Amino acid sequence: KRPRTPVGRAPQRRGEDEERVIWLAVESPMTTQPNHTVYVNNLNEKVNIVELKKALTHVFSQFGKILEVQASKALKKKGQAWVVFDEVKSAQKCVKEMEGFNFYDKPMRVTFAKQKSDVIAKRDGTFVPRPEKPNKYKRKGKKRKLDGKEGKKANGKAKNTAPPVPTNAPPSIPMSNNPAAMVPGMSTMSFPPRREAAPNRILFVENLPPDCKSEQLDAIFGKFPGFKETRVVGGKNVAFVDFDNDYLAGMAMERSKEAKIGDMQIHISFAK
């Protein structure tokens, strides 16, 4: 006779939890062994891929020689990148120091890649070409052609069922044809106001000593990746500092907020 299950309790399956723990321990290891390739995710998906690769190369090259940076704009690979170092110790240092680093306004997640990169596999002679994946979206056979009447009906239905084109902009976007923009006191912006100057690759430095030289600014900004040159404007106590891109310029500005030349604290902002 089968024992009754008490009210309010589900029947327990013995050994189910133990089997699940064993499976997780074998199939899903929590850590990956150190190797040449670093896997980076939680990246800003709005950044251009070419710009993203350049910025990753500039930031990660401080840990050692980089052989390759892989990133894709494909939907499944957005917000991810793979950085291949020449030496494993460079990758180890990168994973240790770059975890949580604020990169394009998002904290990056850094760990070791699960698979060996093709560059390293070709170098040590273990490379095996991957089989081509079948295209699941490719239709077999020829497409069925619609005759003239069916084609016209389909086109007519498509035209009739198409949604109307909106004539007014949403309240969050200020436009001349937006009625909300004409009402005084009504906010037409759903995002914070812009800064004095949009982020760009040139920094504007002011409140400099009268006898300031470019070498003194080089000592402050030259240690940051992407630095190019400084230009001191004589007689105005200001200077311009050039970087490779806006992200690296912003990173240098953020880390030099408390910088001083002599007894004077300098003021840094993006150039207009």
Side-chain angles (χ1 to χ4, degrees):
K1 198 173 181 182
R2 223 174 145 184
R4 284 173 133 193
T5 303
V7 179
R9 293 185 183 179
Q12 295 181 354
R13 298 180 182 178
R14 294 182 179 180
E16 181 176 328
D17 292 338
E18 289 84 355
E19 289 177 5
R20 186 170 182 272
V21 170
I22 294 172
W23 181 85
L24 286 172
V26 175
E27 298 294 331
S28 303
M30 297 300 292
T31 58
T32 307
Q33 292 296 326
N35 58 81
H36 295 80
T37 307
V38 172
Y39 170 66
V40 188
N41 67 339
N42 198 41
L43 298 175
N44 195 325
E45 298 179 6
K46 296 180 180 179
V47 182
N48 179 272
I49 290 296
V50 177
E51 192 70 22
L52 178 67
K53 288 183 178 181
K54 287 182 180 179
L56 286 170
T57 302
H58 280 298
V59 175
F60 283 23
S61 59
Q62 60 182 307
F63 303 107
K65 182 181 177 181
I66 294 175
L67 301 179
E68 186 181 28
V69 176
Q70 283 287 343
S72 174
K73 57 184 178 182
L75 185 61
K76 290 185 178 180
K77 294 184 179 180
K78 276 188 175 182
Q80 307 173 72
W82 289 262
V83 183
V84 186
F85 285 94
D86 186 47
E87 298 181 357
V88 176
K89 63 180 182 181
S90 300
Q92 288 177 306
K93 191 175 181 181
C94 175
V95 171
K96 183 179 179 181
E97 297 188 16
M98 295 302 292
E99 172 64 25
F101 180 76
N102 192 14
F103 191 72
Y104 283 107
D105 299 326
K106 292 187 72 175
M108 62 169 62
R109 300 286 175 258
V110 186
T111 185
F112 292 106
K114 294 182 179 180
Q115 295 181 354
K116 185 187 295 187
S117 67
D118 290 350
V119 176
I120 299 300
K122 289 177 182 178
R123 190 172 72 175
D124 59 22
T126 59
F127 175 72
V128 178
R130 296 183 180 89
E132 293 185 4
K133 294 182 179 180
N135 190 351
K136 62 180 179 180
Y137 298 104
K138 189 175 181 181
R139 290 173 132 188
K140 294 182 179 180
K142 296 181 179 180
K143 294 182 180 179
R144 190 179 64 178
K145 294 183 179 180
L146 295 173
D147 59 12
K149 292 182 180 180
E150 290 179 349
K152 287 179 181 178
K153 287 181 181 179
N155 292 334
K157 288 181 180 179
K159 289 180 181 177
N160 294 334
T161 57
V165 179
T167 56
N168 293 330
S172 61
I173 304 176
M175 293 179 66
S176 59
N177 62 346
N178 186 3
M182 303 299 178
V183 182
M186 180 177 286
S187 174
T188 59
M189 303 284 284
S190 64
F191 45 85
R194 288 186 178 181
R195 301 176 184 175
E196 293 182 1
N200 59 83
R201 65 181 188 85
I202 303 175
L203 297 180
F204 178 64
V205 186
E206 53 188 333
N207 198 38
L208 299 174
D211 57 346
C212 180
K213 297 180 180 180
S214 59
E215 288 79 6
Q216 293 173 288
L217 292 170
D218 290 346
I220 297 174
F221 297 100
K223 59 187 177 182
F224 297 109
F227 170 78
K228 296 182 75 174
E229 64 173 350
T230 55
R231 292 171 282 125
V232 179
V233 181
K236 295 191 177 181
N237 302 337
V238 298
F240 295 92
V241 185
D242 293 6
F243 284 84
D244 283 338
N245 56 55
D246 58 345
Y247 172 74
L248 298 175
M251 184 176 67
M253 179 177 67
E254 185 69 23
R255 295 187 178 183
S256 305
K257 284 183 176 179
E258 307 298 326
K260 292 183 178 181
I261 296 181
D263 296 331
M264 300 182 66
Q265 183 170 349
I266 61 177
H267 298 159
I268 311 170
S269 61
F270 287 109
K272 292 184 179 180

